[in-house]
Structure formats: structure tokens, C-alpha cells
Amino acid sequence: MRKYIYVIFSFVLTGISVHSHAGEQASTQSVQHSGQASAHSAQAVFSGLIASGQAASAVSAVPLALSASAGVVSGEAANALLDIANTPIGTPLPITEETYSSAGPPPDEALKGDNKSDTKP
Amino acid sequence: MKHGGRFFSAFLCAIFLLPSLGLASHSSGQIYFSPEEIIGFSKKVEKVMAAKGARVALVARVGRPREKLPEGISWTHTGIAVYSLITTADGRQLPGYAMYNLYQRSKEPDKSDLIMDYPVDFFGAVEVLEAGIVIPTPELQKRILQVMSSETYKKIHNPHYSVIANPYTLDYQNCTEHTLDIVFAAIYHTDDIKQIKANEKAYFEAQRVNVNPIKLAFGSIFAADVTVSDHPGQPVTATFESISRFLQKFGAVSESFTVTPTN
């Protein structure tokens, strides 16, 4: 009988332990940790970098292989980017030295004019 | 004293064993490295992939200490990196990688969304600065790109999330299973999820989840994002390692490697 009591006690404690951890939840770290890493404080850090000009707020991304046909490449770098879009897979690709994040721009920037990026998280 | 010992054992079991599965251990979005370290590492990952000409790569991260992961599982999240033209809030266009992910919701952990972010966001809250990378063959990259830019990408998403989703069934899906489904949709040019599952059953060997069944059963009771209902026997799930092995076996890998801050 006592054996069963100990087993039940163990299960109850187990439940308490699990529940207490569940309370800390923001993103599950487990067998698969699929939580959005950029949530909460991590996002806040990158928002700070954007505010200080160390990182850019990215508002969209289009696969470069498709950019040419989609007509989304513009500006001075258009020709170079179109060349990249058409190079065979496996050819070394350029990467910007800039850091970009899904964090939105600072609120004061977002409030200026018709800045569509103000809907970013 | 004897009884006290038993209570103590039960207490230890409760405090250490179940959380050690990671079944209910959560992050609060805490960062473990400085922003400079994360930025430097993320840029290194981008440059390595770009130097190899990868338009598409499967990328894995380590969201919690390796010693806390079940045997045979070294990575906790997998996403797909796509070489892209990134437009910034101030209108500039930059060449870099976008990360395509299935993320579970923070407030509803048994549900997921498809979310695109960027390397610094992807690695923002990792506990180990290490990336697992598989670059598919050019033909598979081309086909994955076609899937990612079509309705199939969203169509094969199942928002019902389980951390140990059975990749052979349609009940639940996690990040790696969604990645696997994209790979199969690309290989077979199909958006028919039943056909995708049939092919996965025929050719893909899932990873056994080496966790005590009793612990798993209790995890499924107390954690919304854990279920064993889709596992008729020994639980199996898709992992970065098992997807990598599958691609290697069928000659669909150009390169696979890990990136650390020092290698």
C-alpha cells in the first residue's frame, strides 16, 4: 500500500515540476525546439541594434533566383543582382556585410510618414 | 529514515528526470551570447553558405545544451535558408539569406505558424553557437525553391504541433517534419500530402525517440506540445540528422558540415 502512495506522490511531484516549468514558457526547448528565437528579449536586443544603426530592419525577402522574373530588383545594384540571380547554382555568391533582422524599426521611425514597416513585430 | 529516502527519491525523480527530457523546459527568449557574438556567428554562417554557392540549405541550431537532449538528437530546430534579395525598411536591397521556419506559438505551444526570419533572429537565442548545414544538390535546391515559392509550402503545413510528431502520419507536424515534407514535395513534384507521407514511409527512416515511455506518457499529460497519440509503438520523429542521412543515402547532398565560431 505504501508503495502505491510513494508512486502517487512521485507522480504528483512530477506534475508540479512540469507545471512549474510550463509557466516559464515562451518557446519550447525540447526534442524539437521550434520556438521563435527572436521573441521577447532577443528581439529587444536586435531592436536596440536597429535603433543604434548597427543593424537594418528587413521588411521583405524574395529568393534571388526569382527576383529577376518577378521584377523586384531596382536601383543602382540592379544589373549586378540580376547577374547573380542568373548564375548557376554552386557559383559563389556575394553576401552583404550588413546585419539585418526581422525586428522592426524603432517606434519613432515607424511613426514617421508612410512607413509600411511599422506593422513588423 | 527509510521512508524519507523514498520520498527523497520521488522528489529527485520529479525534479530532475522529466525536465531532463526537455518536455517542459522553456526559454523566455533569453539570449546566451552577446549581440556581437550572435551577429558575428550568423554572418559567418551566411558567408560559408554563400561561398559554396548555396541557393538553398537546410540549417539546424542547438536551442539547449547538448547533454540535455535525448540520445541520437543533437539539434533542436531546423529551418531552410534561401539566398534572397532582402529589402530593408529604408528601401535598400541587400543580398543575404532568409530563414523559413515552422515555429510553435509561444502562447499556444500545440500550434505552429510558418515564419520567415533572418540568420541573427534564427540564432538569437541558441545555447550553443553551432550550425548544422546540409546543402542539397543543385537539382534538389532548384526543386525546393520551386516548392518554397509556390502554394505548396503553405499547403503542406499542419498547424497541429507536437515536439515528437510522427513523420509517417498526418496528425501532427513539427519543424523538421515540415522540412522533410518540403523535401519530399520537391523530389516528387507533388503537393499531395498523402502521397508525400506514402513516399516518406517507403524511403525515410525516422529517428527513434529514446525516452522512457512512462516519462513520455507523463509529458503528454502535462505539456500541451507533447503527444504520443500518433505513435502506435516506439515513438519516432524526423530530425535534422535523419533528414541528412536520407539525403545522403539517395545522393541528394552536395555538402554537409557544421559551422562554429572557430572552425
Side-chain angles (χ1 to χ4, degrees):
Chain A
M1 183 62 190
R2 278 182 181 155
K3 186 178 166 188
Y4 292 117
I5 292 171
Y6 289 126
V7 169
I8 291 167
F9 177 69
S10 176
F11 286 168
V12 169
L13 272 179
T14 297
I16 292 169
S17 172
V18 170
H19 185 73
S20 67
H21 281 271
E24 301 165 13
Q25 177 181 326
S27 59
T28 298
Q29 293 178 320
S30 48
V31 177
Q32 303 292 339
H33 170 218
S34 298
Q36 188 173 5
S38 57
H40 309 302
S41 59
Q43 183 100 40
V45 169
F46 295 118
S47 297
L49 290 172
I50 289 166
S52 65
Q54 295 176 72
S57 174
V59 292
S60 69
V62 178
L64 242 174
L66 305 173
S67 303
S69 56
V72 296
V73 182
S74 61
E76 291 175 16
N79 286 339
L81 290 169
L82 285 173
D83 285 345
I84 296 164
N86 293 317
T87 56
I89 292 175
T91 307
L93 300 162
I95 282 287
T96 178
E97 290 296 331
E98 284 196 47
T99 297
Y100 46 93
S101 167
S102 59
D108 54 343
E109 287 292 321
L111 287 167
K112 284 179 192 167
D114 184 26
N115 189 344
K116 291 198 170 74
S117 67
D118 58 4
T119 55
K120 294 283 289 179
Chain B
M1 186 65 195
K2 188 178 168 188
H3 294 167
R6 284 186 181 175
F7 274 108
F8 185 61
S9 298
F11 180 77
L12 285 181
C13 169
I15 297 301
F16 293 111
L17 291 187
L18 254 176
S20 77
L21 300 180
L23 294 179
S25 176
H26 297 87
S27 156
S28 57
Q30 185 181 348
I31 60 168
Y32 298 89
F33 298 94
S34 70
E36 289 73 22
E37 286 174 303
I38 294 166
I39 286 171
F41 178 69
S42 303
K43 192 54 73 181
K44 180 175 181 178
V45 171
E46 283 194 284
K47 285 182 175 177
V48 170
M49 293 191 295
K52 295 175 185 295
R55 300 278 178 170
V56 171
L58 312 188
V59 182
R61 72 183 182 205
V62 194
R64 63 179 325 209
R66 283 256 163 74
E67 62 271 18
K68 291 186 179 176
L69 295 173
E71 182 192 340
I73 296 177
S74 300
W75 309 92
T76 58
H77 173 70
T78 302
I80 298 178
V82 177
Y83 186 71
S84 301
L85 184 66
I86 291 147
T87 302
T88 62
D90 56 6
R92 287 171 301 129
Q93 293 182 311
L94 309 170
Y97 285 92
M99 306 298 301
Y100 290 78
N101 306 279
L102 180 152
Y103 282 139
Q104 68 185 124
R105 294 178 189 166
S106 57
K107 291 182 180 171
E108 283 181 290
D110 57 341
K111 296 284 187 298
S112 70
D113 297 296
L114 297 179
I115 292 176
M116 185 191 71
D117 58 14
Y118 301 96
V120 288
D121 308 306
F122 186 86
F123 293 110
V126 293
E127 288 200 44
V128 180
L129 274 185
E130 192 173 331
I133 298 173
V134 170
I135 300 176
T137 55
E139 180 58 29
L140 183 54
Q141 286 188 54
K142 207 183 300 175
R143 293 191 192 194
I144 290 175
L145 210 47
Q146 286 167 356
V147 171
M148 306 286 290
S149 54
S150 73
E151 283 302 307
T152 305
Y153 176 66
K154 290 178 184 168
K155 187 179 174 185
I156 60 178
H157 172 224
N158 175 359
H160 299 289
Y161 183 89
S162 170
V163 292
I164 52 165
N166 183 341
Y168 302 130
T169 66
L170 295 171
D171 304 306
Y172 300 93
Q173 192 180 55
N174 57 25
C175 60
T176 35
E177 182 177 339
H178 187 247
T179 301
L180 179 73
D181 292 346
I182 288 170
V183 167
F184 269 80
I187 292 172
Y188 290 99
H189 288 301
T190 181
D191 63 355
D192 180 348
I193 194 66
K194 287 182 180 170
Q195 184 61 52
I196 288 169
K197 290 296 157 195
N199 290 336
E200 286 172 356
K201 213 165 189 172
Y203 301 110
F204 172 71
E205 190 177 341
Q207 171 79 44
R208 277 182 63 158
V209 180
N210 290 314
V211 172
N212 184 317
I214 296 172
K215 291 179 192 173
L216 270 184
F218 274 90
S220 69
I221 293 169
F222 294 110
D225 53 347
V226 179
T227 181
V228 289
S229 66
D230 56 336
H231 296 280
Q234 169 75 34
V236 293
T237 196
T239 59
F240 178 71
E241 295 94 329
S242 55
I243 295 175
S244 180
R245 284 194 294 269
F246 159 76
L247 292 173
Q248 292 278 8
K249 182 178 177 182
F250 291 97
V253 174
S254 281
E255 277 192 78
S256 67
F257 51 91
T258 59
V259 176
T260 68
T262 54
N263 71 0

